[in-house]
Amino acid sequence: MPTAGEKEFVQFLRDHGVRVTPNRLTVFRVMQSSNEPLTIPDLASRVEGSGLNTATLYRIMETLTELQVVHPVLQDHQNVAYELLEPFARHHDHLVCRQCGRTVNIYDCRLEEALKTISDDKGFHIDFHQMEVHGLCPDCQKANATQSP
Amino acid sequence: MPTAGEKEFVQFLRDHGVRVTPNRLTVFRVMQSSNEPLTIPDLASRVEGSGLNTATLYRIMETLTELQVVHPVLQDHQNVAYELLEPFARHHDHLVCRQCGRTVNIYDCRLEEALKTISDDKGFHIDFHQMEVHGLCPDCQKANATQSP
DNA sequence: TTCGCTGCAAACGGTTTGCACCGCG
DNA sequence: CGCGGTGCAAACCGTTTGCAGCGAA
C-alpha cells in the first residue's frame, strides 16, 4: 500500500478543521521528501527562502504532532526530531548506531509478528508501536576491527 | 537473574576509570529506587538537601549515558527522562493503554529473540532496545465490552 | 467578514560553561 | 599529590509568548 500524499494531507487538515496554508504544505513536502527524522533546525534550513519564521515552524510541528501526522523521536540522545506517521509514511523501526550516530530504518514484518504473538498471549489490543534499537552498525564494527585488532 | 546493585555500580565505575563520588552514588540510588524514568527536574527534587548542584546533575547524567548505565527516553512527547539499563535494571518494554493511560511493563524474551534474528540478518550488534506499544489493555477491553455490547 | 495563522521581536528558562576549590585514587 | 569532580553564577541559545497584520474559508 502506497503512502498518502499531499492531496490526502490537504483533505486530512480540512477534515480536522485546520486551515491549509502554504507554510504547512511546505513543511509537509519537506517531511515527505526526507527519509530520516528532521529536527527543527533541519527543517529551518530546508525551508530557507520561503520566509517561514522559526516561531511558526514550532507552532506547525506542535499542531502536526497533536494531529498525529508526525511524532517526535529522540535523536543523538538529546535532540528531538520529527517523523511522519502512517498513513503519510510507511511504518518502520529504528536502528541507532552508538558510534556514528546514524539511524537505519528497519522494515521487517517479523517483528510485527512477534509482537502480535506476545500481545495475543497477554490480551493486549495493539494500535501501533515504536521501537528504537541501539547498537553498533556493520560499518563501525569493521572500522573498530581495523583500528584495534 | 537479579539486577546488579550499588556494589556492582561502584566496580563498574572503577573499571571504566570513572571516580566513585557521593553524588554519583546518590543519583544511582535514586534511579534504582524508581520504577519509572526520571527527568532532570525529577532527580533534582529527589536529591534535595544533598547539596547536589543542577549543573553537576547534568554532568553526571551525561557521564552515565556515555557509560550506558542509563539512557534517555522521550516522555510526554517532549521531555527527556532517564532510565537505568541492564544490568542495573531488568529490561522491559512498555504498553501504554490509550484509554486508562496506564503503562504496563512487558517482560518477554520472545521479542528479544525476534530482534536478534533480524539484527543478525543486518549485521547490527545490539546493545539494547526500547519499545513503546500503544493499544488497549485487557481491563479496558472488558470494560468496553460490558458498557457497549 | 471572521478568526485562525503568521512574522517579528522581546522574554523566558532550561542547559552549558568558566573558574576556583575540593577530594578520590 | 595530581587531576577528575563539584559548586557557583553568569552566559548562552533554543523555545515560547504577545501582539498586530494577513489571508483561508
mmCIF file of all heavy atoms in Angstrom, chain B residues 81-109:
data_model
loop_
_atom_site.group_PDB
_atom_site.id
_atom_site.type_symbol
_atom_site.label_atom_id
_atom_site.label_comp_id
_atom_site.label_asym_id
_atom_site.label_seq_id
_atom_site.Cartn_x
_atom_site.Cartn_y
_atom_site.Cartn_z
ATOM 1 N N ALA B 81 13.716 11.910 29.748
ATOM 2 C CA ALA B 81 13.805 11.277 31.062
ATOM 3 C C ALA B 81 14.841 10.156 30.966
ATOM 4 O O ALA B 81 15.107 9.641 29.881
ATOM 5 C CB ALA B 81 12.460 10.722 31.480
ATOM 6 N N TYR B 82 15.420 9.794 32.112
ATOM 7 C CA TYR B 82 16.457 8.768 32.110
ATOM 8 C C TYR B 82 15.980 7.495 32.790
ATOM 9 O O TYR B 82 15.220 7.543 33.757
ATOM 10 C CB TYR B 82 17.718 9.288 32.807
ATOM 11 C CG TYR B 82 18.357 10.424 32.060
ATOM 12 C CD1 TYR B 82 17.998 11.745 32.312
ATOM 13 C CD2 TYR B 82 19.305 10.174 31.070
ATOM 14 C CE1 TYR B 82 18.574 12.795 31.614
ATOM 15 C CE2 TYR B 82 19.887 11.211 30.369
ATOM 16 C CZ TYR B 82 19.510 12.517 30.643
ATOM 17 O OH TYR B 82 20.089 13.544 29.936
ATOM 18 N N GLU B 83 16.482 6.385 32.278
ATOM 19 C CA GLU B 83 16.083 5.076 32.760
ATOM 20 C C GLU B 83 17.321 4.208 32.881
ATOM 21 O O GLU B 83 18.197 4.248 32.012
ATOM 22 C CB GLU B 83 15.126 4.492 31.718
ATOM 23 C CG GLU B 83 14.358 3.287 32.155
ATOM 24 C CD GLU B 83 13.346 2.901 31.078
ATOM 25 O OE1 GLU B 83 13.736 2.758 29.904
ATOM 26 O OE2 GLU B 83 12.173 2.748 31.415
ATOM 27 N N LEU B 84 17.419 3.408 33.951
ATOM 28 C CA LEU B 84 18.558 2.509 34.110
ATOM 29 C C LEU B 84 18.518 1.419 33.052
ATOM 30 O O LEU B 84 17.448 0.970 32.657
ATOM 31 C CB LEU B 84 18.533 1.846 35.497
ATOM 32 C CG LEU B 84 19.030 2.659 36.692
ATOM 33 C CD1 LEU B 84 18.867 1.839 37.964
ATOM 34 C CD2 LEU B 84 20.484 3.076 36.507
ATOM 35 N N LEU B 85 19.695 1.007 32.620
ATOM 36 C CA LEU B 85 19.796 -0.080 31.648
ATOM 37 C C LEU B 85 20.312 -1.334 32.342
ATOM 38 O O LEU B 85 20.768 -1.279 33.482
ATOM 39 C CB LEU B 85 20.784 0.310 30.547
ATOM 40 C CG LEU B 85 20.330 1.381 29.549
ATOM 41 C CD1 LEU B 85 21.487 1.767 28.656
ATOM 42 C CD2 LEU B 85 19.174 0.831 28.726
ATOM 43 N N GLU B 86 20.274 -2.440 31.636
ATOM 44 C CA GLU B 86 20.871 -3.669 32.150
ATOM 45 C C GLU B 86 22.371 -3.466 32.281
ATOM 46 O O GLU B 86 22.959 -2.754 31.471
ATOM 47 C CB GLU B 86 20.608 -4.822 31.188
ATOM 48 C CG GLU B 86 19.154 -5.246 31.163
ATOM 49 C CD GLU B 86 18.956 -6.516 30.346
ATOM 50 O OE1 GLU B 86 19.423 -6.527 29.192
ATOM 51 O OE2 GLU B 86 18.349 -7.461 30.855
ATOM 52 N N PRO B 87 23.041 -4.037 33.263
ATOM 53 C CA PRO B 87 22.481 -4.996 34.213
ATOM 54 C C PRO B 87 21.924 -4.351 35.480
ATOM 55 O O PRO B 87 21.620 -5.046 36.431
ATOM 56 C CB PRO B 87 23.693 -5.857 34.563
ATOM 57 C CG PRO B 87 24.825 -4.871 34.547
ATOM 58 C CD PRO B 87 24.487 -3.875 33.470
ATOM 59 N N PHE B 88 21.782 -3.015 35.457
ATOM 60 C CA PHE B 88 21.336 -2.338 36.678
ATOM 61 C C PHE B 88 19.824 -2.307 36.836
ATOM 62 O O PHE B 88 19.306 -1.923 37.871
ATOM 63 C CB PHE B 88 21.931 -0.932 36.727
ATOM 64 C CG PHE B 88 23.431 -0.953 36.659
ATOM 65 C CD1 PHE B 88 24.106 -0.578 35.513
ATOM 66 C CD2 PHE B 88 24.158 -1.402 37.746
ATOM 67 C CE1 PHE B 88 25.493 -0.639 35.442
ATOM 68 C CE2 PHE B 88 25.550 -1.468 37.693
ATOM 69 C CZ PHE B 88 26.210 -1.088 36.544
ATOM 70 N N ALA B 89 19.137 -2.665 35.770
ATOM 71 C CA ALA B 89 17.682 -2.800 35.848
ATOM 72 C C ALA B 89 17.317 -3.897 34.865
ATOM 73 O O ALA B 89 18.022 -4.122 33.887
ATOM 74 C CB ALA B 89 16.998 -1.498 35.474
ATOM 75 N N ARG B 90 16.238 -4.564 35.149
ATOM 76 C CA ARG B 90 15.811 -5.622 34.253
ATOM 77 C C ARG B 90 15.170 -4.987 33.035
ATOM 78 O O ARG B 90 14.376 -4.056 33.154
ATOM 79 C CB ARG B 90 14.805 -6.517 34.978
ATOM 80 C CG ARG B 90 14.396 -7.707 34.151
ATOM 81 C CD ARG B 90 13.570 -8.670 34.981
ATOM 82 N NE ARG B 90 12.883 -9.613 34.101
ATOM 83 C CZ ARG B 90 11.761 -10.229 34.418
ATOM 84 N NH1 ARG B 90 11.182 -9.977 35.587
ATOM 85 N NH2 ARG B 90 11.199 -11.072 33.591
ATOM 86 N N HIS B 91 15.528 -5.490 31.873
ATOM 87 C CA HIS B 91 14.957 -4.889 30.669
ATOM 88 C C HIS B 91 13.464 -5.153 30.555
ATOM 89 O O HIS B 91 12.982 -6.225 30.859
ATOM 90 C CB HIS B 91 15.634 -5.423 29.410
ATOM 91 C CG HIS B 91 14.940 -4.950 28.179
ATOM 92 N ND1 HIS B 91 15.103 -3.671 27.704
ATOM 93 C CD2 HIS B 91 14.001 -5.524 27.394
ATOM 94 C CE1 HIS B 91 14.310 -3.504 26.665
ATOM 95 N NE2 HIS B 91 13.635 -4.612 26.448
ATOM 96 N N HIS B 92 12.762 -4.167 30.078
ATOM 97 C CA HIS B 92 11.332 -4.355 29.826
ATOM 98 C C HIS B 92 10.864 -3.355 28.784
ATOM 99 O O HIS B 92 11.511 -2.349 28.520
ATOM 100 C CB HIS B 92 10.541 -4.169 31.117
ATOM 101 C CG HIS B 92 10.690 -2.812 31.706
ATOM 102 N ND1 HIS B 92 11.622 -2.522 32.674
ATOM 103 C CD2 HIS B 92 10.059 -1.650 31.443
ATOM 104 C CE1 HIS B 92 11.538 -1.243 32.984
ATOM 105 N NE2 HIS B 92 10.600 -0.675 32.244
ATOM 106 N N ASP B 93 9.749 -3.644 28.167
ATOM 107 C CA ASP B 93 9.151 -2.724 27.218
ATOM 108 C C ASP B 93 7.869 -2.184 27.828
ATOM 109 O O ASP B 93 7.455 -2.628 28.898
ATOM 110 C CB ASP B 93 8.884 -3.458 25.895
ATOM 111 C CG ASP B 93 10.181 -3.914 25.258
ATOM 112 O OD1 ASP B 93 11.029 -3.055 24.988
ATOM 113 O OD2 ASP B 93 10.351 -5.129 25.061
ATOM 114 N N HIS B 94 7.292 -1.213 27.160
ATOM 115 C CA HIS B 94 6.109 -0.573 27.730
ATOM 116 C C HIS B 94 4.867 -0.702 26.869
ATOM 117 O O HIS B 94 4.929 -0.517 25.659
ATOM 118 C CB HIS B 94 6.373 0.916 27.928
ATOM 119 C CG HIS B 94 7.530 1.202 28.816
ATOM 120 N ND1 HIS B 94 7.454 1.114 30.175
ATOM 121 C CD2 HIS B 94 8.806 1.550 28.536
ATOM 122 C CE1 HIS B 94 8.633 1.404 30.699
ATOM 123 N NE2 HIS B 94 9.483 1.680 29.727
ATOM 124 N N LEU B 95 3.771 -1.012 27.531
ATOM 125 C CA LEU B 95 2.493 -0.948 26.850
ATOM 126 C C LEU B 95 1.736 0.217 27.461
ATOM 127 O O LEU B 95 1.516 0.263 28.664
ATOM 128 C CB LEU B 95 1.658 -2.224 27.032
ATOM 129 C CG LEU B 95 0.296 -2.002 26.373
ATOM 130 C CD1 LEU B 95 0.253 -2.649 25.002
ATOM 131 C CD2 LEU B 95 -0.850 -2.462 27.217
ATOM 132 N N VAL B 96 1.365 1.165 26.628
ATOM 133 C CA VAL B 96 0.612 2.315 27.109
ATOM 134 C C VAL B 96 -0.820 2.174 26.633
ATOM 135 O O VAL B 96 -1.087 2.121 25.435
ATOM 136 C CB VAL B 96 1.199 3.626 26.546
ATOM 137 C CG1 VAL B 96 0.456 4.824 27.111
ATOM 138 C CG2 VAL B 96 2.680 3.722 26.856
ATOM 139 N N CYS B 97 -1.747 2.112 27.585
ATOM 140 C CA CYS B 97 -3.156 1.955 27.221
ATOM 141 C C CYS B 97 -3.735 3.309 26.821
ATOM 142 O O CYS B 97 -3.610 4.276 27.559
ATOM 143 C CB CYS B 97 -3.947 1.365 28.382
ATOM 144 S SG CYS B 97 -5.703 1.143 27.966
ATOM 145 N N ARG B 98 -4.376 3.344 25.664
ATOM 146 C CA ARG B 98 -4.893 4.622 25.166
ATOM 147 C C ARG B 98 -6.109 5.064 25.952
ATOM 148 O O ARG B 98 -6.516 6.214 25.889
ATOM 149 C CB ARG B 98 -5.240 4.515 23.675
ATOM 150 C CG ARG B 98 -6.442 3.642 23.373
ATOM 151 C CD ARG B 98 -7.057 4.010 22.025
ATOM 152 N NE ARG B 98 -8.217 3.191 21.740
ATOM 153 C CZ ARG B 98 -8.194 2.040 21.071
ATOM 154 N NH1 ARG B 98 -7.066 1.551 20.627
ATOM 155 N NH2 ARG B 98 -9.316 1.366 20.869
ATOM 156 N N GLN B 99 -6.723 4.151 26.669
ATOM 157 C CA GLN B 99 -7.936 4.506 27.411
ATOM 158 C C GLN B 99 -7.670 4.889 28.861
ATOM 159 O O GLN B 99 -7.935 6.004 29.272
ATOM 160 C CB GLN B 99 -8.933 3.348 27.345
ATOM 161 C CG GLN B 99 -10.327 3.733 27.824
ATOM 162 C CD GLN B 99 -11.387 2.774 27.291
ATOM 163 O OE1 GLN B 99 -11.424 2.483 26.101
ATOM 164 N NE2 GLN B 99 -12.228 2.274 28.178
ATOM 165 N N CYS B 100 -7.099 3.970 29.626
ATOM 166 C CA CYS B 100 -6.843 4.284 31.037
ATOM 167 C C CYS B 100 -5.506 4.984 31.215
ATOM 168 O O CYS B 100 -5.218 5.511 32.292
ATOM 169 C CB CYS B 100 -6.907 3.023 31.905
ATOM 170 S SG CYS B 100 -5.645 1.799 31.553
ATOM 171 N N GLY B 101 -4.700 5.034 30.164
ATOM 172 C CA GLY B 101 -3.444 5.776 30.242
ATOM 173 C C GLY B 101 -2.347 5.097 31.021
ATOM 174 O O GLY B 101 -1.232 5.604 31.098
ATOM 175 N N ARG B 102 -2.656 3.952 31.626
ATOM 176 C CA ARG B 102 -1.634 3.277 32.417
ATOM 177 C C ARG B 102 -0.545 2.643 31.554
ATOM 178 O O ARG B 102 -0.791 2.238 30.416
ATOM 179 C CB ARG B 102 -2.270 2.174 33.280
ATOM 180 C CG ARG B 102 -2.789 2.713 34.587
ATOM 181 C CD ARG B 102 -3.351 1.590 35.417
ATOM 182 N NE ARG B 102 -4.455 0.900 34.732
ATOM 183 C CZ ARG B 102 -5.189 -0.023 35.307
ATOM 184 N NH1 ARG B 102 -4.946 -0.375 36.549
ATOM 185 N NH2 ARG B 102 -6.172 -0.610 34.644
ATOM 186 N N THR B 103 0.639 2.578 32.122
ATOM 187 C CA THR B 103 1.748 1.934 31.437
ATOM 188 C C THR B 103 2.006 0.599 32.112
ATOM 189 O O THR B 103 2.144 0.529 33.328
ATOM 190 C CB THR B 103 3.016 2.803 31.517
ATOM 191 O OG1 THR B 103 2.788 4.011 30.806
ATOM 192 C CG2 THR B 103 4.182 2.076 30.879
ATOM 193 N N VAL B 104 2.033 -0.446 31.302
ATOM 194 C CA VAL B 104 2.303 -1.775 31.829
ATOM 195 C C VAL B 104 3.646 -2.234 31.287
ATOM 196 O O VAL B 104 3.931 -2.060 30.105
ATOM 197 C CB VAL B 104 1.210 -2.769 31.369
ATOM 198 C CG1 VAL B 104 1.483 -4.159 31.917
ATOM 199 C CG2 VAL B 104 -0.158 -2.273 31.787
ATOM 200 N N ASN B 105 4.472 -2.771 32.150
ATOM 201 C CA ASN B 105 5.758 -3.270 31.683
ATOM 202 C C ASN B 105 5.592 -4.675 31.094
ATOM 203 O O ASN B 105 4.868 -5.493 31.638
ATOM 204 C CB ASN B 105 6.761 -3.330 32.834
ATOM 205 C CG ASN B 105 7.128 -1.955 33.331
ATOM 206 O OD1 ASN B 105 6.913 -0.957 32.637
ATOM 207 N ND2 ASN B 105 7.689 -1.882 34.530
ATOM 208 N N ILE B 106 6.269 -4.914 29.991
ATOM 209 C CA ILE B 106 6.246 -6.235 29.376
ATOM 210 C C ILE B 106 7.625 -6.859 29.514
ATOM 211 O O ILE B 106 8.613 -6.261 29.103
ATOM 212 C CB ILE B 106 5.956 -6.162 27.852
ATOM 213 C CG1 ILE B 106 4.809 -5.210 27.559
ATOM 214 C CG2 ILE B 106 5.675 -7.540 27.293
ATOM 215 C CD1 ILE B 106 4.612 -4.986 26.063
ATOM 216 N N TYR B 107 7.666 -8.043 30.095
ATOM 217 C CA TYR B 107 8.930 -8.769 30.177
ATOM 218 C C TYR B 107 8.744 -10.027 29.342
ATOM 219 O O TYR B 107 8.111 -10.980 29.780
ATOM 220 C CB TYR B 107 9.224 -9.173 31.625
ATOM 221 C CG TYR B 107 9.334 -8.006 32.571
ATOM 222 C CD1 TYR B 107 8.217 -7.521 33.257
ATOM 223 C CD2 TYR B 107 10.561 -7.384 32.794
ATOM 224 C CE1 TYR B 107 8.325 -6.448 34.118
ATOM 225 C CE2 TYR B 107 10.673 -6.316 33.655
ATOM 226 C CZ TYR B 107 9.552 -5.846 34.323
ATOM 227 O OH TYR B 107 9.666 -4.775 35.183
ATOM 228 N N ASP B 108 9.241 -10.016 28.123
ATOM 229 C CA ASP B 108 9.039 -11.182 27.265
ATOM 230 C C ASP B 108 10.252 -11.392 26.364
ATOM 231 O O ASP B 108 10.567 -10.551 25.532
ATOM 232 C CB ASP B 108 7.775 -10.990 26.414
ATOM 233 C CG ASP B 108 7.287 -12.309 25.844
ATOM 234 O OD1 ASP B 108 8.098 -13.013 25.210
ATOM 235 O OD2 ASP B 108 6.104 -12.629 26.046
ATOM 236 N N CYS B 109 10.923 -12.509 26.542
ATOM 237 C CA CYS B 109 12.161 -12.756 25.817
ATOM 238 C C CYS B 109 11.933 -13.111 24.346
ATOM 239 O O CYS B 109 12.858 -13.058 23.545
ATOM 240 C CB CYS B 109 12.975 -13.859 26.485
ATOM 241 S SG CYS B 109 12.095 -15.422 26.584
#
